Amino acid sequence: MKLKTLLLAATVVAGTLSLSAQAADTRLIRFGYGLNQDSNQGRAAQVFADEVARLSDGKMKIRAIGAAALGSDIQMQQALIGGAQEMMVGSTATLVGITPEMAMWDTPFLFNSGEEADKVLDGRAGQMLIDKLEEKGLVGLVYWENGFRNLTNSQRPVTRLEDFDGLKLRVMQNNVFLETFQRLGANAVPLPFSELFTALETKTVDGQENPYNTILSSKFYEVQKYLSITNHVYSPWIVTASKKWWDSLSADERDVLMQAAIASRDFERQDTRKEADEALAQLKADGMQVNEVAPEEVERMRETIKPVNEQIKQDVGAAVWQAVQNQLKAIRQGTDKPRG
Ligand code: TK8
């Protein structure tokens, strides 16, 4: 019995040794994401993978795995926290269950442009929220652009506040989105993105909201007739790593990942903005009926959902809320000083 235990222990030790020897040669890193490979998310994941290979002379290898093949955003976040998966990119909105402060970015009509979002996300406020992830077992690297969200549905063009009445809309798994769309009069149904296409196709829900890029790359135009330009919120994506795993890396390895993440971010924002401009025309060509929403109707929507801001303020705390508002004020007055 004793001998058997000893032998077993020896085998385990040998196994562990050969595993770590292998790991020292090349580190295989699984990087999961939710959209298709042929999307702005997929293209930027590939840039990240290429940069990591280049900067590490091939010693670190990213395996980018899209289409939620590793799970929904929320499932992947749990895998990262537990150490079963190394990295991912996904919506900040789906992180709110773990880090309530992330709800800051769900504030309707917070940013007026992508450039404003870049400054705040890459600035002090963005970093404050990244820092909050650590105690939850995640390491935040950079924010990518998901983009300004617009509404699609299979029932009718949404041109006035009243058009939301009774529309069954899928929302992200997040209380701010749930409350926002309930206040607008919709019947809001939280669902993971990975289940969305089928839910639209089978008419389990009438509609959803996402940037033009995603409406195109996820082929929602095949199952949605109407696209209403609401631009109701700017969504970031965030690149995260498992803290358990991150803590096992050398300083050089972390440096490679951080540098590659920044390169992927800069590529992704440019690529996404360029695609967004072209995507709207493509969606029209694919048969979607597109309508703008008159400024006074946008204003009515904005007023209707204003109380949501009070809830967000409470959830994220005065320090975060004020840091964002102060920077936005400075940006709009032309007195903002870039970090670093
Ligand atoms: C992709 C999601 C997606 C988001 C959503 O995994 O869920 O609607 O906009 O980009 O994170």
Side-chain angles (χ1 to χ4, degrees):
M1 197 57 191
K2 259 199 175 149
L3 184 64
K4 246 190 180 170
T5 317
L6 249 164
L7 277 175
L8 190 69
T11 322
V12 169
V13 169
T16 317
L17 281 178
S18 73
L19 249 184
S20 57
Q22 214 180 4
D25 287 335
T26 47
R27 273 190 184 274
L28 185 64
I29 303 159
R30 279 161 301 177
F31 182 93
Y33 60 95
L35 300 196
N36 297 322
Q37 202 178 331
D38 185 12
S39 70
N40 54 339
Q41 209 176 35
R43 288 189 294 276
Q46 192 53 51
V47 167
F48 177 63
D50 292 345
E51 276 298 289
V52 169
R54 191 178 70 80
L55 293 168
S56 69
D57 288 325
K59 289 200 181 67
M60 297 166 79
K61 204 169 161 23
I62 297 282
R63 214 171 127 217
I65 305 168
L70 294 180
S72 67
D73 283 10
I74 285 178
Q75 286 166 333
M76 290 196 286
Q77 289 154 14
Q78 293 305 329
L80 260 56
I81 291 168
Q85 181 182 326
E86 292 77 24
M87 295 189 76
M88 67 172 285
V89 63
S91 269
T92 54
T94 51
L95 271 171
V96 167
I98 295 170
T99 307
E101 291 86 354
M102 283 289 166
M104 186 67 222
W105 312 133
D106 302 328
T107 308
F109 302 106
L110 182 66
F111 298 126
N112 292 333
S113 68
E115 289 69 27
E116 274 189 8
D118 295 351
K119 286 181 182 151
V120 174
L121 292 165
D122 300 345
R124 196 169 74 84
Q127 189 60 43
M128 278 168 93
L129 297 195
I130 280 185
D131 292 344
K132 303 258 181 219
L133 292 170
E134 286 230 4
E135 66 201 55
K136 301 295 165 71
L138 294 169
V139 176
L141 282 87
V142 290
Y143 295 98
W144 287 0
E145 169 157 303
N146 186 351
F148 283 97
R149 303 178 79 90
N150 288 295
L151 186 73
T152 70
N153 81 92
S154 57
Q155 300 296 313
R156 54 181 173 263
V158 171
T159 60
R160 310 174 306 150
L161 179 60
E162 288 72 17
D163 293 326
F164 280 99
D165 269 353
L167 270 187
K168 212 167 172 191
L169 293 182
R170 173 269 179 176
V171 293
M172 290 192 278
Q173 294 154 292
N174 166 304
N175 280 336
V176 176
F177 275 86
L178 187 66
E179 207 194 316
T180 300
F181 284 92
Q182 278 172 345
R183 280 185 183 274
L184 289 169
N187 179 356
V189 186
L191 271 182
F193 184 82
S194 46
E195 289 170 28
L196 180 51
F197 186 89
T198 306
L200 294 169
E201 192 177 33
T202 57
K203 299 241 161 50
T204 307
V205 292
D206 300 319
Q208 64 88 41
E209 38 88 50
N210 254 299
Y212 300 141
N213 310 62
T214 300
I215 299 170
L216 186 64
S217 66
S218 292
K219 300 194 165 40
F220 292 159
Y221 56 85
E222 289 182 355
V223 286
Q224 297 279 272
K225 177 82 187 148
Y226 304 101
L227 168 55
S228 305
I229 305 180
T230 48
N231 285 315
H232 49 277
V233 70
Y234 174 95
S235 258
W237 280 322
I238 186 166
V239 175
T240 49
S242 157
K243 179 153 164 42
K244 260 191 187 163
W245 168 74
W246 184 262
D247 288 346
S248 75
L249 299 178
S250 70
D252 283 350
E253 288 172 321
R254 286 183 208 159
D255 205 46
V256 162
L257 293 171
M258 197 59 205
Q259 278 187 50
I262 290 171
S264 73
R265 174 193 76 193
D266 294 344
F267 164 83
E268 196 271 349
R269 285 175 178 164
Q270 240 187 338
D271 179 58
T272 298
R273 283 165 201 173
K274 187 167 158 282
E275 185 189 42
D277 291 342
E278 299 157 1
L280 183 58
Q282 189 54 48
L283 290 168
K284 285 181 189 165
D286 287 327
M288 287 198 93
Q289 187 180 317
V290 179
N291 72 277
E292 302 208 1
V293 183
E296 57 274 20
E297 281 302 318
V298 173
E299 201 43 45
R300 283 180 73 212
M301 293 173 193
R302 202 195 270 257
E303 278 302 312
T304 306
I305 56 186
K306 229 181 193 164
V308 177
N309 286 1
E310 286 311 311
Q311 189 57 48
I312 298 175
K313 242 188 254 184
Q314 266 182 34
D315 291 350
V316 306
V320 170
W321 181 267
Q322 224 30 68
V324 172
Q325 300 302 335
N326 290 347
Q327 196 183 356
L328 278 175
K329 203 167 152 202
I331 292 170
R332 289 168 191 168
Q333 290 175 343
T335 56
D336 182 52
K337 291 187 197 69
R339 211 165 57 127

